[in-house]
Amino acid sequence: MLDADFFRRWMTATAASVDREAERLTALDSPIGDADHGSNLQRGFTAVAAALDKEAPGTPGGVLILAGRQLISTVGGASGPLYGTLLRRTGKALGDAGEVSAEQLAEALRAGVDAVMTLGGAAPGDATMIDALVPAVDALGDSFTAARTAAEEGAVATTPLQARKGRASYVGERSIGHQDPGATSAALLIAALAEAAGE
Ligand code: ADP
Ligand code: MG
């Protein structure tokens, strides 16, 4: 079973990995966006880690709802409300339980990803974070490691695609040949989940 401490570890592992990869995320956002994805998420997850340190919610749902709220209020770009919605909706789906199973997490994360698709209007194949998140959720029934691999492959698979949503869609066909920054950061989020699970 996964307790609040597991979810705190997931968020702090994400913050550490976003810190390490911030320059790369921003570099990916340069040719097809406005070169701020790394700094956006760095600001957001730094705030998440600080808030969790201060408040330490006692339930998995509480951890994710607090994290999502921080992202929405501190990240200026499109990715803030999208990741914020992902975590808040996932947290809400987990309810008040003190511990949840991996299956419950997979189901809740599915609800979170659906909420991101509703909010942003992106579908798989539009070259967004959705292209890493959907395969990750599909694989989560197998293992955290399978989800991590699926997310990483999903991110790489955005390279030949033309972006259909977000800022990268403004450059039209010129987005072809560039890996999507948000799909790349979504793969970091899922990798951190495997890390929190000790895989
Ligand atoms: P901004 O585009 O406002 O500068 P960021 O650079 O922080 O925001 O985030 C860009 C990433 O957000 C994209 O690479 C993409 O993965 C994701 N994104 C943008 N718009 C959407 C959307 N409508 N649906 C899903 N993901 C989106
Ligand atoms: Mg940007």
Side-chain angles (χ1 to χ4, degrees):
M1 293 294 274
L2 311 168
D3 60 7
D5 192 53
F6 171 88
F7 284 81
R8 244 187 332 265
R9 288 204 309 278
W10 177 20
M11 291 297 108
T12 50
T14 303
S17 144
V18 162
D19 244 1
R20 283 194 303 270
E21 301 287 331
E23 277 183 34
R24 180 170 158 247
L25 295 174
T26 286
L28 289 171
D29 195 31
S30 300
I32 56 169
D34 55 353
D36 65 354
H37 190 56
S39 48
N40 278 345
L41 287 191
Q42 205 170 21
R43 187 181 332 107
F45 277 98
T46 299
V48 167
L52 290 174
D53 235 19
K54 212 168 108 194
E55 288 187 37
T59 62
V63 169
L64 294 187
I65 289 168
L66 177 59
R69 211 188 312 136
Q70 289 300 316
L71 293 179
I72 289 169
S73 63
T74 60
V75 178
S79 60
L82 293 164
Y83 274 121
T85 295
L86 175 70
L87 297 182
R88 281 210 322 188
R89 185 68 189 82
T90 302
K92 261 196 191 169
L94 293 174
D96 297 332
E99 292 187 335
V100 300
S101 66
E103 291 72 28
Q104 285 172 311
L105 170 57
E107 205 176 296
L109 206 53
R110 169 91 59 195
V113 174
D114 285 347
V116 174
M117 289 198 274
T118 301
L119 176 67
D126 287 342
T128 69
M129 59 175 71
I130 292 302
D131 288 327
L133 293 172
V134 166
V137 168
D138 287 343
L140 203 51
D142 298 332
S143 68
F144 290 119
T145 301
R148 172 190 193 147
T149 304
E152 283 163 0
E153 288 174 358
V156 170
T158 61
T159 304
L161 301 177
Q162 179 172 341
R164 302 281 178 196
K165 291 287 167 193
R167 224 176 254 282
S169 67
Y170 304 166
V171 305
E173 288 183 357
R174 284 199 293 117
S175 68
I176 295 172
H178 296 283
Q179 183 169 321
D180 179 64
T184 309
S185 59
L188 297 180
L189 177 75
I190 302 299
L193 188 56
E195 199 182 319
E199 289 179 11

